Amino acid sequence: MKLATRMGRLGTETAFEVLVKARKLEAEGKDVVHLEIGEPDFDTPANIIEAGTHALNNGFTHYGPSAGLPDLRKRIAEDVAVTRDIPVTADNVVVTPGGKPIMFFSILAVVDEGDEVIYPNPGFPIYESMIKFVGGVPVPMQLHESKDFNMDVDDVARKITPKTKMIIINSPNNPCGSVMTREQMKAIADLAVKHDIVVLADEIYKRFLFEGEFESITQFPGMPERTIILDGFSKTYAMTGWRIGYGVMPKPLVEPISRLVTNSVSCTPAAVQMAALEALNGSQEEAYGMVREFKRRRDIIVKGLNAIPGITCKNPKGAFYVFPNVTGTGMTSRDFADRLLQEGGVAALAGEAFGQYGKGYLRFSFANSAENIKKALGRIETFAKNNRKK
Ligand code: PLP
């Protein structure tokens, strides 16, 4: 079968491939600690599951409007208005099966062939994949370890050309766990306004903050009318498998993005939307409890990794990932990750899975129990000691 040329430009998300490899090893009898996949290990809170099953038992089994059920759009608008302190109404909101489709649809809807898109690198791999897929030009915005894995704003300013159509930001960041400062956000906002650039603000980890308050780029003048906020329920409410997320966008984008929903998945399952409504309306205690537990685990993994010769690890301020530098071991990050899985029994991702500037780093997710994290740390230490080349 000869595939369309564009398929050669579509990348992937390595986490899913490593998960398959790790599962295969497990099927062969090997014990593997999973620190590769980015999802909370908690179950969805019971009140949300109940709302979903109640909806299924009460007729929410049909097609619905492509942009989402009106009640959910309204409730999301209220929530976003409060958490970002901006005016938002239901007709700014498009509900999708996961937050990821917002990436897909926004880039499809906004980026023309030859348009340049500035995106974080290391960063979520789907940004670069989608920019290339639509024929855009990916322009990496390096996140520097020396700047706590944030961008150099002057460097971003230098990358802007008349062809720059979009800037993507992701704070808190996957894979680095970094959080942009208010000053950095303001500087990017100023550039976007000055050069008339659309911003895709991936705020999926907004609740996973270990210090400080959440800041959105939409707080700056001129930004709500040029920003697409990507958010969802997967991480905040441990609902990864339900597939529900949303975009909040300027009104002129709502119809085109909804049309992309109609053309692809038609709509998001109604019962899942009812469960999401309960997520927003019900107690937030379990969701916040999860963040407290992640903070405890972060402290364990950061301390443990920094105690291993050849590895240094910054303290992430948000999300649930650490991005340690392993160059001191003398191994390449690719080799380290591959062999750590095969020989050491710990699944992790090589930093280059997040772009060229990820080379030399590994990403571990700490969305696993403290006990498993400690087990993994023991294995990483043994592996690193036995294989250190420096
Ligand atoms: N954005 C980032 C940075 C992510 O890490 C993820 C998931 O890993 C998503 C968006 C998409 O999440 P979902 O489609 O499950 O809502």
Side-chain angles (χ1 to χ4, degrees):
M1 171 85 66
K2 188 177 178 308
L3 293 179
T5 316
R6 75 176 78 84
M7 283 308 291
R9 302 195 300 266
L10 190 68
T12 189
E13 198 182 336
T14 315
F16 287 96
E17 290 172 3
V18 175
L19 179 66
V20 170
K21 265 197 221 165
R23 292 254 187 268
K24 188 163 173 282
L25 285 172
E26 285 176 313
E28 290 162 7
K30 191 164 174 75
D31 183 58
V32 176
V33 184
H34 290 272
L35 300 185
E36 77 280 38
I37 199 91
E39 67 171 339
D41 56 315
F42 296 94
D43 289 328
T44 307
N47 61 313
I48 299 176
I49 295 180
E50 207 179 301
T53 46
H54 183 268
L56 281 173
N57 285 321
N58 285 277
F60 285 86
T61 52
H62 299 273
Y63 290 131
S66 293
L69 296 176
D71 285 354
L72 180 62
R73 292 176 75 198
K74 182 165 172 283
R75 186 65 190 84
I76 289 170
E78 286 165 9
D79 187 67
V80 173
V82 170
T83 48
R84 279 74 169 185
D85 197 18
I86 50 166
V88 182
T89 57
D91 45 8
N92 292 113
V93 178
V94 180
V95 178
T96 44
K100 228 180 197 177
I102 292 297
M103 240 169 253
F104 201 98
F105 297 153
S106 308
I107 293 171
L108 262 177
V110 170
V111 179
D112 254 325
E113 273 183 39
D115 283 348
E116 295 172 9
V117 181
I118 298 178
Y119 69 103
N121 187 323
F124 193 56
I126 304 305
Y127 308 140
E128 186 180 315
S129 165
M130 276 308 299
I131 299 162
K132 285 186 177 160
F133 190 60
V134 303
V137 181
V139 180
M141 166 170 73
Q142 185 174 4
L143 303 186
H144 302 267
E145 184 181 3
S146 59
K147 292 185 175 294
D148 283 333
F149 289 114
N150 273 319
M151 69 284 289
D152 178 333
V153 174
D154 295 332
D155 187 38
V156 179
R158 279 192 294 273
K159 293 200 153 144
I160 293 175
T161 76
K163 286 194 166 270
T164 307
K165 190 66 190 279
M166 181 186 262
I167 298 180
I168 303 176
I169 57 169
N170 172 218
S171 176
N173 172 274
N174 174 12
C176 304
S178 47
V179 173
M180 282 170 72
T181 64
R182 192 186 158 82
E183 291 67 38
Q184 284 161 338
M185 250 178 212
K186 165 98 175 50
I188 299 288
D190 288 347
L191 289 171
V193 171
K194 182 172 169 205
H195 299 280
D196 192 19
I197 297 167
V198 176
V199 171
L200 173 60
D202 185 341
E203 301 182 347
I204 199 106
Y205 294 102
K206 72 169 185 301
R207 279 272 184 100
F208 295 88
L209 266 184
F210 306 124
E211 51 199 79
E213 294 288 313
F214 174 70
E215 304 254 12
S216 171
I217 197 160
T218 51
Q219 70 188 285
F220 298 106
M223 292 313 289
E225 45 276 51
R226 63 178 63 257
T227 305
I228 303 157
I229 295 176
L230 179 160
D231 202 345
F233 297 84
S234 293
K235 319 282 176 179
T236 309
Y237 299 100
M239 291 179 75
T240 48
W242 293 71
R243 308 310 301 132
I244 180 146
Y246 56 86
V248 176
M249 59 200 77
K251 288 192 181 127
L253 269 177
V254 170
E255 187 280 325
I257 301 266
S258 304
R259 200 156 17 112
L260 283 165
V261 176
T262 310
N263 273 268
S264 51
V265 292
S266 297
C267 59
T268 306
V272 173
Q273 294 190 62
M274 293 308 285
L277 189 58
E278 170 60 21
L280 292 175
N281 285 337
S283 162
Q284 303 298 301
E285 193 36 49
E286 260 185 88
Y288 280 114
M290 212 159 66
V291 180
R292 285 194 295 274
E293 174 58 19
F294 281 142
K295 185 171 186 208
R296 194 173 77 86
R297 296 174 186 179
R298 173 198 69 164
D299 295 343
I300 297 171
I301 197 163
V302 170
K303 189 164 172 234
L305 286 170
N306 279 317
I308 301 172
I311 300 182
T312 55
C313 183
K314 290 261 179 201
N315 206 19
K317 293 191 173 72
F320 36 73
Y321 309 103
V322 279
F323 205 60
N325 185 327
V326 297
T327 48
T329 63
M331 273 181 279
T332 66
S333 40
R334 167 83 58 214
D335 198 31
F336 196 125
D338 288 348
R339 290 182 49 213
L340 181 65
L341 173 61
Q342 298 287 340
E343 300 163 30
V346 177
L349 300 183
E352 46 267 67
F354 300 92
Q356 75 258 43
Y357 296 119
K359 223 177 240 173
Y361 301 88
L362 293 185
R363 189 196 77 170
F364 294 107
S365 157
F366 47 90
N368 203 326
S369 66
E371 188 192 343
N372 278 336
I373 289 170
K374 286 178 191 157
K375 184 154 105 178
L377 283 167
R379 292 181 181 183
I380 299 165
E381 182 168 18
T382 308
F383 174 79
K385 273 192 183 144
N386 292 343
N387 294 285
R388 199 163 172 207
K389 299 208 172 86
K390 278 190 180 169

